[in-house]
C-alpha cells in the first residue's frame, strides 16, 4: 500500500494549488463552429513533406545520409520487447531506467526508419517499420510504469480494461500517427490491417480515454497544471488530426484539446513564469508552442494566438533565465545545464515577432548541436526543426545582451553586470517539482558557477513519493539557506515567502523577503528577514539576515553550495577557486561562526547523476555554525 501511495503522490507533485485565472485564450477567441469551418480535412492536412523529392529540397544531403545510415543500423537488430518482468521492475526496485531505455528506444527507432524510408523511397525499411508498428500496438500500455497509479487497479502491471493517458502514451500516439502519415500507403501494400490497427490502438488507448477530463490532474480546471498538460495536448492534438477520418469527431476533439491547452495558460501567473525552471520550460512553454503550431497549420493559420502578449511573456522566460554557455537558472528540479533547442526558439521568436527570442535561438543553433535528430521526445517538433534548419540565417550572431528581469508570479529575479550573474527567488514550497528553497540564490562569474543550486538527482520511485524530502537535494539544508535550531524549511503551500520586495537598478539588484513562514513552528522562529543584494558597483553579493527567535537558539547554521576549490585557512575569508584559476571569496565574521565543508552523497540510485552533473566536479556544502547563540541577531555574508 505504501508504494501505491507513493505513486499517487507522484501525480500530486505535477500540479500545485496556485491561483487559476480564467483567460481561456483559445476557446474565448474561437467557437467550435469557427474551428469546424476553418479545419483542413484529414485527407488534405499536410503539415510535413511526404515525398522524397519534397524532403530533398529542404534537408541537406549530409543530414539525409546520416538519417539513412542510422536506419540501416536499426535494420541489423531485432525489435526489442517489453515483458511483464520489466514492467514490474519499477514497483519492485524503484528503477525506471531499463524500461525507459527499451520503450523510448523502440519509438526512436521507428521514427528513424520512417523518415529514412520517406527520404529514400526504396522500400528497404518498410518490413522493419511494420514489425515496430506491430510490436508497439501489441503493448498493453504505452506509458511508463511510474504513471500506472491513475488506473483503478493501481497494480504493478497495466490494466488492459482501463486505458489511461500519460506523457509517453501521448508521445506514442503521435509517433504512430506520423508513421501512418508518412508511410501509411506503403504499409497498405503489405497488409490493409496495419493502418486500421494503428487507428484502433490510438483511439482505444489515447483518444477516447483522453476525453475523461476529470480523471487527470494535468487537466484540472481548479488547480494549476504543469508541463504534462501542453506536452500531452500537443501530441494528442496532432495524432487526432492525422488519423481521425470522421471529420465531425475530429473537429470536436480538436476543440476539446484547445480547451485543455487553455488550462495551462490559465494556471500561469501574470508574468507567465515557469516555476519548474528552464529545462522543464522546453517541455512546458515550448510544448504549448508546439500545440499552437499544430492548431495553426490545421486551420490554415485562421486559429492562432501568436500575437497575444501573454504568449510573448511565456516565450521570453527562457532566455531571461540564461546565465552563460549552457548554464541556466536551475531552481527546483531544473537541470543546471542544457543544450537549448535553438531552431525551435528561432521558430517561436519568428512566429510571435519577438526579436530577442529569435536571436537567442539563432545564437543557440550556432553554438549547440541542432535539434534535428528524430530521437528523444517531441518528435513533431524535431520534424519542424528539420524543415526549418537549412533556411535559417547563417550569419554568425553574438549572444544577445540581456538585462535584469523580475517575474512576480514565481518571485524570481535574474541580474547581470559585466561578467557576473546573479539570480534569487522567494516563492513557496509547493511549486511544481518543488525543492524546499524559499530565499535561495545563485552566483556565477565569467560563466563559471561560484555559488550554486545543486539541482536534482535521478528520478526513482522515491523522488515522487512521501520520501521525496528525505533526499538531500530537495532539502533547504542543502541550498544557500539558514537552518534554525537544526530544522530546515518544510514542503507545503503554507511554507512560503512572506512580504517580498525586489530591486532592479544599474548599481544594485536583489530581493528582500521574510523567511519566517518558510519554516515550521518547531524551528522557534519569531521573525527572520533576509536581504540578498547584488552590488554591481562593488561586484559582490551581500546577504544580510536579521532574526528573532522565540527563545535562545540551540543551533544556527548557514549553508552555501559550491563546486569551487575551497580554502578555509584564513579566518573570516573563505577562498573559492574556479577551474579557470579565478579566485572568489566569502567574507564573514570569524568571531560568530565556525566553518566546515562536507560532500553530499553521490551513492545510491537517486544520487548517481551528481558524479557527472557538474562536469565531474563534486558538489560541496560550506556549513557555517553559529558560535553566538543569541535569541536575536544579525548576520552578514559577502561573496565577491
Amino acid at each position: 500500500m505504501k508504494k501505491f501511495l507513493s505513486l499517487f503522490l507522484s501525480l500530486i507533485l505535477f500540479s500545485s494549488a496556485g491561483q487559476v485565472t480564467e483567460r481561456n485564450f483559445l476557446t474565448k477567441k474561437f467557437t467550435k463552429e469557427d474551428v469546424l469551418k476553418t479545419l483542413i480535412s484529414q485527407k488534405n492536412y499536410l503539415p510535413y513533406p511526404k515525398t522524397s523529392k519534397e524532403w530533398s529540397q529542404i534537408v541537406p544531403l549530409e543530414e539525409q545520409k546520416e538519417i539513412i545510415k542510422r536506419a540501416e543500423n536499426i535494420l541489423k537488430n531485432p525489435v526489442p520487447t517489453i515483458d511483464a518482468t520489466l514492467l514490474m521492475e519499477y514497483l519492485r526496485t524503484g528503477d525506471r531506467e531499463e524500461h525507459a531505455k527499451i520503450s523510448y528506444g523502440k519509438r526512436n527507432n521507428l521514427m528513424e526508419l520512417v523518415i529514412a524510408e520517406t527520404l529514400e523511397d526504396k522500400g528497404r525499411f518498410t518490413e522493419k517499420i511494420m514489425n515496430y508498428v506491430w510490436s508497439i500496438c501489441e503493448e498493453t500500455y504505452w506509458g511508463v510504469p511510474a504513471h500506472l497509479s491513475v488506473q483503478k487497479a493501481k497494480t504493478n502491471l497495466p490494466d488492459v480494461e482501463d486505458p489511461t493517458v500519460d506523457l509517453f502514451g501521448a508521445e506514442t500516439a503521435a509517433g504512430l500517427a506520423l508513421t501512418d502519415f508518412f508511410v501509411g500507403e506503403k504499409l497498405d501494400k503489405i497488409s490493409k490491417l496495419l493502418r486500421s490497427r494503428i487507428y484502433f490502438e490510438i483511439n482505444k488507448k489515447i483518444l477516447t480515454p483522453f476525453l475523461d477530463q476529470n480523471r487527470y490532474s494535468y487537466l484540472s480546471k481548479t488547480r494549476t497544471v504543469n508541463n504534462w498538460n501542453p506536452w500531452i495536448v500537443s501530441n494528442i492534438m496532432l495524432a487526432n488530426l492525422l488519423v481521425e477520418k470522421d471529420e465531425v469527431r475530429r473537429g470536436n476533439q480538436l476543440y476539446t484539446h484547445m480547451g485543455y491547452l487553455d488550462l495551462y495558460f490559465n494556471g500561469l501567473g501574470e508574468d507567465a513564469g515557469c516555476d519548474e525552471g528552464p529545462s522543464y520550460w522546453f517541455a512546458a512553454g515550448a510544448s504549448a508552442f508546439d500545440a499552437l503550431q499544430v492548431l495553426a497549420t490545421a486551420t490554415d493559420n485562421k486559429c492562432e494566438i501568436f500575437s497575444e502578449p501573454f504568449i510573448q511573456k511565456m516565450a521570453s522566460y527562457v532566455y531571461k533565465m540564461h546565465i552563460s554557455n549552457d548554464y541556466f537558472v536551475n531552481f527546483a528540479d531544473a537541470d543546471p545545464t542544457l543544450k537549448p533547442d535553438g531552431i525551435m526558439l528561432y521558430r517561436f521568436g519568428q512566429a510571435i515577432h519577438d526579436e530577442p527570442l529569435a536571436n537567442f535561438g539563432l545564437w543557440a543553433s550556432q553554438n549547440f548541436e541542432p535539434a534535428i535528430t528524430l530521437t528523444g521526445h517531441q518528435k513533431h517538433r524535431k520534424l519542424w526543426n528539420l524543415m526549418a534548419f537549412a533556411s535559417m540565417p547563417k550569419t554568425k550572431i553574438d549572444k544577445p545582451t540581456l538585462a535584469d528581469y523580475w517575474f512576480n508570479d514565481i518571485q524570481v529575479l535574474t541580474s547581470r553586470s559585466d561578467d557576473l550573474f546573479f539570480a534569487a527567488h522567494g516563492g513557496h514550497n509547493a511549486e511544481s517539482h518543488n525543492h524546499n528553497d524559499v530565499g535561495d540564490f545563485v552566483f556565477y562569474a565569467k560563466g563559471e558557477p561560484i555559488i550554486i543550486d545543486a539541482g536534482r538527482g535521478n528520478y526513482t520511485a522515491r523522488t515522487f513519493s512521501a520520501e521525496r524530502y528525505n533526499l538531500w537535494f530537495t532539502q533547504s539544508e542543502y541550498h544557500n539557506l539558514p537552518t534554525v535550531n537544526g530544522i530546515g524549511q518544510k514542503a507545503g503551500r503554507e511554507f512560503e515567502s512572506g512580504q517580498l520586495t525586489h530591486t532592479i537598478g544599474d548599481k544594485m539588484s536583489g530581493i528582500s523577503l521574510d523567511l519566517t513562514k518558510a519554516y515550521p513552528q518547531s524551528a522557534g522562529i519569531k521573525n527572520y528577514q533576509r536581504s540578498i543584494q547584488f552590488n554591481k558597483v562593488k561586484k559582490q553579493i551581500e546577504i544580510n539576515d536579521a532574526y528573532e527567535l522565540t527563545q535562545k537558539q540551540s543551533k544556527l547554521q548557514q549553508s552555501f553550495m559550491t563546486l569551487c576549490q575551497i580554502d578555509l585557512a584564513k579566518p573570516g575569508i573563505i577562498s573559492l577557486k574556479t577551474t579557470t584559476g579565478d579566485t572568489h571569496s566569502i567574507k564573514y565574521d570569524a568571531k560568530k561562526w565556525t566553518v566546515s565543508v562536507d560532500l553530499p552523497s553521490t551513492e545510491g540510485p537517486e544520487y548517481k547523476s551528481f558524479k557527472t552533473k557538474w562536469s565531474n566536479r563534486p558538489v560541496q556544502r560550506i556549513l557555517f555554525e553559529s558560535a553566538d547563540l543569541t535569541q536575536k541577531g544579525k548576520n552578514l555574508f559577502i561573496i565577491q
Side-chain angles (χ1 to χ4, degrees):
M1 179 59 71
K2 182 178 179 182
K3 288 186 176 179
F4 292 142
L5 175 62
S6 297
L7 295 176
F8 175 73
L9 286 171
S10 75
L11 295 181
I12 300 240
L13 285 168
F14 294 141
S15 64
S16 61
Q19 184 177 357
V20 171
T21 303
E22 296 289 334
R23 299 182 179 96
N24 297 323
F25 293 125
L26 291 168
T27 51
K28 277 186 177 178
K29 184 173 182 179
F30 307 107
T31 65
K32 185 184 293 186
E33 289 68 31
D34 292 332
V35 173
L36 292 173
K37 188 186 305 181
T38 59
L39 183 59
I40 299 170
S41 68
Q42 187 265 347
K43 181 179 179 181
N44 293 319
Y45 179 50
L46 304 171
Y48 307 106
K50 290 191 72 169
T51 68
S52 174
K53 182 179 179 180
E54 289 175 306
W55 274 116
S56 65
Q57 292 173 346
I58 58 176
V59 178
L61 181 60
E62 286 304 311
E63 185 58 36
Q64 294 182 50
K65 290 179 179 178
E66 282 297 316
I67 294 172
I68 291 170
K69 182 179 178 180
R70 292 195 298 268
E72 289 172 338
N73 289 331
I74 295 169
L75 288 177
K76 300 173 184 177
N77 300 306
V79 179
T81 59
I82 296 175
D83 59 22
T85 298
L86 186 60
L87 285 166
M88 296 175 74
E89 187 71 13
Y90 174 77
L91 192 69
R92 288 172 169 173
T93 70
D95 181 75
R96 55 193 290 173
E97 292 188 7
E98 190 62 27
H99 175 274
K101 182 171 68 175
I102 294 176
S103 179
Y104 301 168
K106 288 176 71 172
R107 287 139 178 85
N108 289 339
N109 287 350
L110 173 61
M111 194 52 53
E112 293 276 22
L113 291 165
V114 166
I115 300 305
E117 178 57 39
T118 305
L119 287 170
E120 190 182 77
D121 196 23
K122 294 181 179 178
R124 277 203 300 157
F125 303 105
T126 52
E127 190 80 7
K128 201 71 167 184
I129 291 171
M130 174 189 71
N131 286 327
Y132 269 97
V133 166
W134 196 256
S135 176
I136 292 171
C137 285
E138 288 285 287
E139 293 175 2
T140 300
Y141 177 65
W142 286 344
V144 297
H147 302 155
L148 279 173
S149 61
V150 74
Q151 291 195 336
K152 296 171 185 175
K154 300 189 187 304
T155 184
N156 50 9
L157 288 173
D159 183 355
V160 70
E161 297 180 13
D162 186 28
T164 54
V165 181
D166 82 332
L167 295 170
F168 308 110
E171 285 270 349
T172 304
L176 286 174
L178 287 166
T179 299
D180 181 275
F181 173 81
F182 285 115
V183 298
E185 293 173 3
K186 293 185 177 183
L187 293 178
D188 273 343
K189 293 178 180 178
I190 302 175
S191 171
K192 295 288 186 180
L193 294 177
L194 288 169
R195 298 179 80 182
S196 61
R197 178 72 187 277
I198 287 174
Y199 173 78
F200 176 83
E201 297 295 347
I202 290 176
N203 187 52
K204 180 184 73 171
K205 290 185 171 84
I206 304 297
L207 293 180
T208 297
F210 194 50
L211 297 175
D212 188 1
Q213 179 177 358
N214 294 330
R215 189 160 198 186
Y216 306 105
S217 61
Y218 59 81
L219 297 179
S220 173
K221 295 179 180 179
T222 58
R223 298 171 64 91
T224 60
V225 295
N226 75 349
N227 68 78
W228 275 52
N229 176 289
W231 186 346
I232 289 173
V233 169
S234 65
N235 278 283
I236 297 180
M237 186 182 283
L238 179 65
N240 167 61
L241 289 169
L242 290 177
V243 302
E244 180 56 66
K245 290 182 171 57
D246 183 326
E247 291 296 342
V248 174
R249 184 171 190 249
R250 181 170 172 263
N252 287 339
Q253 289 191 140
L254 175 61
Y255 197 72
T256 296
H257 300 160
M258 291 165 62
Y260 288 171
L261 186 61
D262 271 339
L263 300 174
Y264 177 70
F265 301 135
N266 291 350
L268 293 176
E270 286 305 311
D271 291 331
C274 179
D275 66 358
E276 302 170 89
S279 59
Y280 282 95
W281 181 91
F282 282 91
S287 288
F289 170 58
D290 294 336
L292 293 176
Q293 185 169 23
V294 170
L295 176 63
T297 59
T299 58
D300 195 25
N301 293 313
K302 298 295 192 303
C303 295
E304 55 89 3
I305 56 170
F306 291 132
S307 61
E308 169 57 51
F310 189 86
I311 302 301
Q312 297 171 346
K313 288 182 184 179
M314 180 190 75
S316 72
Y317 165 87
V318 69
Y319 65 78
K320 293 174 181 177
M321 294 295 124
H322 184 239
I323 300 172
S324 179
N325 301 318
D326 60 351
Y327 285 118
F328 283 77
V329 175
N330 68 308
F331 300 132
D333 261 356
D335 290 315
T337 61
L338 64 94
K339 303 295 190 283
D341 180 349
I343 305 176
M344 182 279 298
L345 294 173
Y346 174 76
R347 292 191 294 107
F348 201 170
Q350 291 288 97
I352 65 175
H353 305 293
D354 184 322
E355 186 176 356
L357 179 61
N359 287 339
F360 184 69
L362 275 179
W363 172 83
S365 70
Q366 294 172 1
N367 287 273
F368 302 101
E369 191 71 24
I372 54 177
T373 62
L374 300 168
T375 56
H377 305 307
Q378 287 99 10
K379 293 181 175 60
H380 49 333
R381 182 188 303 170
K382 307 287 180 61
L383 287 167
W384 269 307
N385 283 353
L386 191 60
M387 292 166 59
F389 178 56
S391 61
M392 288 178 64
K394 297 299 186 290
T395 305
K396 193 70 174 176
I397 187 169
D398 293 330
K399 178 181 177 293
T401 300
L402 301 175
D404 290 6
Y405 304 102
W406 169 248
F407 285 82
N408 191 61
D409 47 9
I410 57 175
Q411 295 189 340
V412 171
L413 179 142
T414 61
S415 180
R416 302 151 179 88
S417 178
D418 297 328
D419 58 3
L420 302 178
F421 176 90
F422 164 76
H425 79 111
H428 57 81
N429 285 337
E431 295 167 342
S432 182
H433 291 273
N434 178 68
H435 290 193
N436 293 336
D437 58 357
V438 174
D440 194 21
F441 70 96
V442 297
F443 177 52
Y444 286 63
K446 296 182 180 178
E448 280 290 302
I450 311 303
I451 301 298
I452 66 167
D453 184 307
R456 67 171 176 89
N458 301 78
Y459 284 165
T460 69
R462 289 182 69 199
T463 316
F464 298 113
S465 77
E467 298 181 42
R468 176 177 177 86
Y469 296 98
N470 293 335
L471 301 169
W472 67 256
F473 57 81
T474 65
Q475 299 170 1
S476 65
E477 292 92 323
Y478 290 88
H479 289 76
N480 305 303
L481 291 164
T483 302
V484 183
N485 290 322
I487 296 173
Q489 296 181 11
K490 298 300 179 186
R493 185 60 183 84
E494 68 273 27
F495 299 102
E496 63 181 353
S497 164
Q499 183 176 3
L500 183 149
T501 59
H502 77 280
T503 303
I504 287 179
D506 294 335
K507 296 181 179 180
M508 189 85 73
S509 291
I511 64 172
S512 297
L513 72 165
D514 183 353
L515 288 180
T516 310
K517 291 175 66 177
Y519 292 79
Q521 287 187 352
S522 56
I525 300 174
K526 185 176 181 180
N527 187 27
Y528 204 113
Q529 301 294 320
R530 163 164 282 204
S531 171
I532 319 169
Q533 303 297 325
F534 176 22
N535 188 322
K536 299 179 182 180
V537 177
K538 295 183 178 180
K539 299 183 181 297
Q540 63 188 29
I541 309 300
E542 301 165 356
I543 303 103
N544 277 283
D545 287 357
Y547 65 88
E548 182 177 1
L549 307 181
T550 57
Q551 59 187 19
K552 186 177 178 180
Q553 62 180 282
S554 61
K555 183 186 291 186
L556 179 64
Q557 297 168 311
Q558 169 64 47
S559 300
F560 291 112
M561 309 300 292
T562 189
L563 307 173
C564 295
Q565 182 180 327
I566 302 168
D567 185 349
L568 303 179
K570 188 175 182 180
I573 300 179
I574 297 175
S575 175
L576 303 174
K577 183 178 287 187
T578 70
T579 56
T580 57
D582 290 331
T583 300
H584 298 268
S585 65
I586 302 176
K587 295 181 180 179
Y588 66 99
D589 187 342
K591 295 178 182 179
K592 285 188 175 184
W593 301 97
T594 60
V595 188
S596 61
V597 176
D598 61 28
L599 295 171
S601 174
T602 59
E603 300 303 319
E606 291 84 14
Y607 302 135
K608 59 186 179 181
S609 67
F610 285 103
K611 296 178 187 292
T612 58
K613 180 184 292 291
W614 292 93
S615 302
N616 300 312
R617 288 173 286 179
V619 172
Q620 302 168 89
R621 178 173 68 157
I622 303 172
L623 187 61
F624 291 82
E625 187 154 342
S626 176
D628 182 18
L629 298 179
T630 58
Q631 188 173 341
K632 185 177 182 181
K634 295 182 179 180
N635 294 309
L636 170 66
F637 297 92
I638 294 177
I639 304 170
Q640 59 184 188

